[in-house]
């Protein structure tokens, strides 16, 4: 990058900092704008109140190498939810190619590439099943932070900063951009304006990992009245599929 471009980038960054009223690098802020948390609560309560929906998303996961170089891995996903006890999520990308099934009694992960699948009994509600998948199996469903019925409490636990950044357009939808801070992570949410406050983009920055990698997901197409028969959530293994066991993360499962 040329000296002129570096100076230009620095000038633009300074303008953005001043426009947002943000603290300089290294400064700490404990300010919580109640309007930001109100909008977040409105969004999470709206999502929790939806009995069934489907959404397509595109996500980018950053990985920081030991050299400090960052790599990004992209994934496309489609998730269908029927509360209180059904979820199907299909993810396809560079590092993942699988379908996640939850039918109210069992949880199954099917790897499309090698035709392997694993199934375990699961709790009887979606909230509990997502916790079980994360805590016991190291499996995180796409944007699962936003799906829980108590998502607001989870997202705002240990919150030290919240602000309304401004307005933006995501996927053709007018949104309000919110930013939040906690001791370990920062996250941003772009909430659709109007009477359907859907999340349109979600970004998590891991502050306590060197290089502060990010996970970003754009929620592109929402269907709030999908046709969701029971068969959509039930896994029927193909004839060429082979059953295996889930790996047991060290220290998490007996």
């Amino acid at each position: 990058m040329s000296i002129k471009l570096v100076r230009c980038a620095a000038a633009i960054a300074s303008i953005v900092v001043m426009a947002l009223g943000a603290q300089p690098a290294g400064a700490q802020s404990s300010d919580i704008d109640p309007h930001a948390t109100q909008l977040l609560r409105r969004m999470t309560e709206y999502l929790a109140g939806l009995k069934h929906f489907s959404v397509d998303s595109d996500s980018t996961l950053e990985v920081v190498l030991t050299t400090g170089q960052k790599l990004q891995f992209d994934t496309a996903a489609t998730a269908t939810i029927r509360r209180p006890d059904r979820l199907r999520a299909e993810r396809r990308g560079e590092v993942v190619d699988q379908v996640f099934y939850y039918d109210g009694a069992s949880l199954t992960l099917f790897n499309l590439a090698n035709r392997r699948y694993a199934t375990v009994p699961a709790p009887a509600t979606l909230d509990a099943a997502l916790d079980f998948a994360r805590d016991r199996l190291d499996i995180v469903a796409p944007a699962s932070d936003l799906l829980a019925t108590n998502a607001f409490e989870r997202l705002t636990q240990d919150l030290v900063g919240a602000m309304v950044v401004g307005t933006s357009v995501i996927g053709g939808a007018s949104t309000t951009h919110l930013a939040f801070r906690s001791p370990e992570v920062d996250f941003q949410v772009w909430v659709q304006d109007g009477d359907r406050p859907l999340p349109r983009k979600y970004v998590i920055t891991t502050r306590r990992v060197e290089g502060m990698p990010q996970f970003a997901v754009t929620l592109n197409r929402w269907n709030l009245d999908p046709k969701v028969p029971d068969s959509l959530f039930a896994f029927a293994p193909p004839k060429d599929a082979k059953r295996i066991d889930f790996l047991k993360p060290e220290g998490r499962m007996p």
Side-chain angles (χ1 to χ4, degrees):
M1 183 179 289
S2 70
I3 293 176
K4 288 184 178 180
L5 286 177
V6 170
R7 288 175 177 170
C8 181
I12 291 172
S14 297
I15 291 171
V16 170
V17 168
M18 289 187 292
L20 297 180
Q23 298 291 329
Q28 298 295 320
S29 173
S30 59
D31 293 338
I32 296 179
D33 182 348
H35 185 46
T37 56
Q38 287 168 7
L39 289 174
L40 181 67
R41 181 185 290 277
R42 181 169 180 259
M43 181 203 76
T44 55
E45 289 182 349
Y46 180 77
L47 270 183
L50 296 175
K51 298 303 181 184
H52 55 269
F53 61 88
S54 64
V55 60
D56 295 341
S57 64
D58 293 303
S59 63
T60 299
L61 173 67
E62 278 189 346
V63 174
V64 182
L65 303 182
T66 56
T67 60
Q69 182 179 5
K70 287 186 178 183
L71 301 180
Q72 292 189 340
F73 299 94
D74 291 333
T75 301
T78 298
T80 303
I81 288 88
R82 192 177 75 189
R83 298 190 191 278
D85 56 3
R86 297 289 190 277
L87 168 66
R88 175 190 170 118
E90 182 170 347
R91 297 184 284 188
R92 311 202 73 164
E94 294 178 75
V95 296
V96 64
D97 189 12
Q98 59 190 203
V99 187
F100 179 106
Y101 296 86
Y102 169 63
D103 62 5
S106 63
L107 185 155
T108 300
L109 198 64
F110 177 44
N111 283 325
L112 297 167
N114 62 12
R115 317 299 286 175
R116 301 291 190 266
Y117 72 95
T119 300
V120 293
T125 67
L126 179 59
D127 283 0
L130 291 174
D131 287 344
F132 172 81
R134 181 191 65 242
D135 297 337
R136 302 294 297 278
L137 304 176
D138 264 347
I139 297 172
V140 180
S144 59
D145 290 346
L146 307 177
L147 298 179
T149 53
N150 64 342
F152 179 78
E153 287 73 19
R154 296 185 182 207
L155 291 170
T156 56
Q157 185 178 7
D158 300 324
L159 201 66
V160 298
M163 67 177 176
V164 178
V165 180
T167 59
S168 183
V169 176
I170 305 293
S174 175
T175 67
T176 298
H177 180 187
L178 310 176
F180 302 88
R181 303 207 86 187
S182 69
E184 296 190 358
V185 300
D186 296 338
F187 69 94
Q188 303 171 70
V189 184
W190 286 254
V191 180
Q192 182 170 306
D193 297 329
D195 59 359
R196 300 201 304 178
L198 297 164
R200 300 306 299 255
K201 187 176 178 180
Y202 180 47
V203 176
I204 303 171
T205 303
T206 306
R207 297 169 57 195
R208 292 194 174 180
V209 174
E210 186 174 357
M212 295 201 301
Q214 289 187 328
F215 171 77
V217 56
T218 303
L219 301 137
N220 303 309
R221 289 168 292 278
W222 287 89
N223 182 351
L224 304 188
D225 190 23
K227 305 304 178 185
V228 284
D230 286 345
S231 58
L232 184 71
F233 308 99
F235 176 69
K239 291 182 179 179
D240 62 342
K242 180 179 179 180
R243 181 167 180 168
I244 60 174
D245 293 329
F246 280 107
L247 293 176
K248 297 180 180 181
E250 185 177 352
R252 292 199 179 187
M253 294 183 69

